[in-house]
Amino acid sequence: MRCDKYLKVSRLIKRREVAKQMLDAKKITVNGKIAKPATEVKVDDILEITTPSGQVFKVKILQVLEHASVDNAKEMYTNIE
């Protein structure tokens, strides 16, 4: 699944356009490499997201679902560190 879509479906970022902007600004990495909106993500990948305020958080992908409810979205990843 595309990284921008995963970020939206998992509700890590509320809108796909915002996810694209963050990816274009090189604020998100996948397994330590700078990601682009079309970067494919899969189970066990590590996403590192730098928020506009400078806070950094890492998540590990547990599931990749095309559609997710609010409850299922929280099960798609786990926070690390």
Side-chain angles (χ1 to χ4, degrees), residues 5-59:
K5 184 172 181 181
Y6 180 84
L7 291 166
K8 193 241 182 259
V9 171
S10 67
R11 291 177 171 77
L12 285 166
I13 298 177
K14 292 187 180 203
R15 293 186 310 257
R16 192 167 176 182
E17 184 60 33
V18 174
K20 285 182 182 182
Q21 290 172 358
M22 289 183 70
L23 287 157
D24 288 339
K26 301 178 182 177
K27 299 289 185 182
I28 300 172
T29 63
V30 176
N31 298 325
K33 296 180 181 174
I34 294 173
K36 295 182 180 179
T39 300
E40 290 293 317
V41 296
K42 58 189 180 313
V43 174
D44 293 330
D45 281 351
I46 305 293
L47 296 177
E48 185 173 316
I49 302 167
T50 304
T51 64
S53 64
Q55 184 180 13
V56 178
F57 64 97
K58 289 184 181 182
V59 297

Side-chain angles (χ1 to χ4, degrees), residues 46-80:
I46 305 293
L47 296 177
E48 185 173 316
I49 302 167
T50 304
T51 64
S53 64
Q55 184 180 13
V56 178
F57 64 97
K58 289 184 181 182
V59 297
K60 181 177 181 178
I61 297 175
L62 301 176
Q63 295 179 354
V64 177
L65 304 172
E66 288 294 321
H67 305 285
S69 67
V70 174
D71 295 329
N72 290 347
K74 293 178 183 177
E75 296 172 3
M76 291 178 67
Y77 63 90
T78 186
N79 290 322
I80 53 177

